[in-house]
Amino acid sequence: MLSFDEIKTYTSTICEQIRWKKARPFIASEIENHIYDQRDAYMSDGDDEATATNKAIEQMGDAVSIGLELDKTHKPKAQWSLIILTGILMLIGAFVTYYIDTSKFSLNKFSIIPFIIAFGIFLICYYLDFTILGKYAITFYFAVLGVSILALFVSSEINGRAVWVFSRFSINLSYLSLIFPLVFALLVYAMRNRGYLGIILSGIGFCPLAIILSIIPTASGLILFTISSFAILSLSIFKGLFEVNKIRGLLLILIPAVIISLLAVLTIMQNGYYSSRMNTFWDPYSEIYGAGYVYVLLREFLSHAAFL
């Protein structure tokens, strides 16, 4: 019974890497049959069932790597409904942005180009083979870290935040908080099978990314990244990627997480920038062309809202 559970766990790990769910049962059945055949061959040579099962699984190789390779050859058809829906939502977003730009509080800087670029990036990411990122996870981590640090040095400060300005366009560096969870997930993937050391290195890798978000600064981005990273690392430990005692592994990240959270709360309370943001939230008209700009627009729109 124990060998049966080990084989099932092994095949489940492989199938979790395959995005096309309809292909999973057939792949699992084929792999299990192969392991059973190899196990029986070892048992005929004199090995007991447990030893024969372990040998058969080891001969197959790393479950995650096999799953990623099988994912390349078992890809589902493109979901055109999802692509079209995304395009429609982006058009609605462009229309709403244009409508906001015509208000009396607007800076009249609407452009359709960012929406075109965003849709192009969406298509690239949709068809991108993300297993490539898994192969170069560490390289990708340090590349994003290096670009982020460079962006901080060449950025300008607008409304108290670091913004990368070029030509007529600008990119708020707080959007890095949307990229960093992917970067951290790749780091965790690279640290798998390294035991407690892998967990510690993952935690160390979290720190420079969090520091960058605090320098920008973006409290919401830092909170989003912290929660995402904690969830990624916790789930990885729970799924057995680090091959450690799950309770000890979770405690290893829970204690530092609580300490960091308390320090972050104290920092936010003592930071004049964030206290200013809270004051703007309560009285947005005091900063109508600054931090209160969006709040004023929302109030103006809602004051004329009506049920259809």
Side-chain angles (χ1 to χ4, degrees), residues 101-233:
D101 196 61
T102 58
S103 69
K104 61 182 179 180
F105 301 113
S106 175
L107 301 177
N108 297 317
K109 290 187 177 182
F110 173 80
S111 174
I112 195 65
I113 295 178
F115 293 93
I116 297 175
I117 295 174
F119 189 70
I121 294 174
F122 162 74
L123 290 177
I124 292 173
C125 293
Y126 183 84
Y127 287 103
L128 180 67
D129 185 359
F130 281 93
T131 59
I132 297 175
L133 298 180
K135 291 181 179 178
Y136 306 99
I138 298 297
T139 303
F140 185 75
Y141 170 84
F142 282 107
V144 172
L145 180 60
V147 171
S148 301
I149 294 174
L150 178 63
L152 282 176
F153 280 106
V154 300
S155 64
S156 303
E157 184 176 322
I158 299 179
N159 291 332
R161 288 188 178 182
V163 177
W164 190 13
V165 180
F166 56 99
S167 186
R168 294 179 61 249
F169 304 102
S170 63
I171 299 177
N172 195 321
L173 294 187
S174 62
Y175 291 130
L176 288 173
S177 61
L178 304 178
I179 301 174
F180 283 177
L182 170 62
V183 177
F184 182 76
L186 289 172
L187 176 65
V188 171
Y189 173 76
M191 295 296 109
R192 72 189 191 285
N193 301 329
R194 296 194 180 186
Y196 293 107
L197 178 62
I199 298 175
I200 294 172
L201 291 176
S202 298
I204 293 174
F206 163 84
C207 294
L209 301 178
I211 291 172
I212 290 173
L213 294 177
S214 63
I215 292 175
I216 289 174
T218 167
S220 58
L222 180 58
I223 293 172
L224 173 67
F225 174 59
T226 302
I227 294 175
S228 300
S229 300
F230 182 78
I232 291 169
L233 193 55

